[in-house]
Amino acid sequence: MEESLYNLAFERSLLSSIIFDPAQFDDFDAVLTPEDFYLSAHQEIYRAMMSLAHRDLPIDEEFIRKELTAKGKFDERVMVEILTANPIANTKAYVQEIKDKAIKRHLLTLTTEIKRVTLEEELSGTDVVDLVEKKLYEITQSSQATDFKDAPAIADETLAYIEEMKARGDSVLVGVDTGYAELNKMTTGYGKG
């Protein structure tokens, strides 16, 4: 496959950044899927990171190693390459580049599928168009970021917020106390961020 359709250095750097700063994984989880990585070992490492994050376990070298070893998919050489890659600061650009290259690979696969279905299958033109539309729709949907959260996560966040408000009593504050009563009345406290 052409190198314009993947960048292993970007993938290594992004995975390295996650290992060295796991707090940013949630930002990637909403955008990237394991299939967005070109190298199958990178896909497995990202899949292990997803599994660890969803079980509230640390995303670090040891837990990733344990997760992959249990499945028989741990590759020491690839892990060393990732750990020796420089973590990056501007991860958003790297994520976008990885996602963009993945979309191009999916489109290339789709063109091959179109050729195969058109020439080898005994389908009508309408059926071929329907199939192409369905596959193209799947590609466009996977390219869009999702901000959906599962119900238990939303319920936990809401309950924590309710408990916090209950603990404050009949206070004017909705946010963080500014330390100034008049400012609290005007702003209802500082919000997140």
Side-chain angles (χ1 to χ4, degrees):
M1 190 166 288
E2 289 186 39
E3 285 192 34
S4 64
L5 298 177
Y6 63 91
N7 188 324
L8 297 180
F10 278 23
E11 292 183 11
R12 280 192 290 269
S13 294
L14 186 67
L15 293 171
S16 175
S17 297
I18 295 170
I19 291 172
F20 288 106
D21 185 11
Q24 60 185 332
F25 180 77
D26 287 340
D27 297 336
F28 306 141
D29 192 26
V31 178
L32 291 175
T33 65
E35 291 74 25
D36 290 333
F37 293 88
Y38 176 74
L39 196 63
S40 62
H42 291 174
Q43 292 175 4
E44 291 303 326
I45 289 171
Y46 191 77
R47 196 171 279 118
M49 290 175 169
M50 288 174 65
S51 174
L52 293 169
H54 295 157
R55 294 185 341 237
D56 290 326
L57 294 171
I59 301 174
D60 63 14
E61 177 188 358
E62 293 306 316
F63 275 89
I64 293 170
R65 180 186 310 268
K66 182 179 175 183
E67 183 88 8
L68 292 176
T69 302
K71 296 177 181 176
K73 296 185 177 181
F74 182 72
D75 187 334
E76 182 74 34
R77 182 186 57 78
V78 172
M79 182 58 84
V80 168
E81 288 175 351
I82 289 170
L83 293 173
T84 57
N86 289 331
I88 47 178
N90 185 8
T91 54
K92 187 175 183 179
Y94 280 69
V95 168
Q96 188 56 47
E97 188 71 22
I98 290 170
K99 193 71 177 174
D100 187 57
K101 290 184 181 301
I103 291 168
K104 288 179 181 179
R105 288 193 308 272
H106 292 306
L107 289 171
L108 184 62
T109 303
L110 177 59
T111 59
T112 306
E113 178 73 7
I114 291 169
K115 183 178 179 182
R116 185 190 66 75
V117 169
T118 304
L119 297 176
E120 297 173 12
E121 299 284 326
E122 301 254 347
L123 297 174
S124 69
T126 306
D127 290 342
V128 172
V129 170
D130 288 344
L131 180 73
V132 170
E133 285 178 344
K134 178 182 175 231
K135 298 276 187 181
L136 191 57
Y137 178 76
E138 290 170 4
I139 292 170
T140 55
Q141 290 305 304
S142 72
S143 70
Q144 298 173 358
T146 58
D147 291 331
F148 295 111
K149 294 183 180 180
D150 57 353
I154 293 171
D156 290 343
E157 290 174 14
T158 304
L159 286 174
Y161 180 74
I162 291 170
E163 291 294 325
E164 183 182 339
M165 293 296 108
K166 184 178 174 184
R168 291 184 185 178
D170 291 331
S171 174
V172 174
L173 290 176
V174 175
V176 177
D177 187 357
T178 65
Y180 301 99
E182 290 300 313
L183 186 56
N184 284 342
K185 286 179 187 176
M186 288 189 274
T187 63
T188 68
Y190 292 129
K192 289 184 178 182

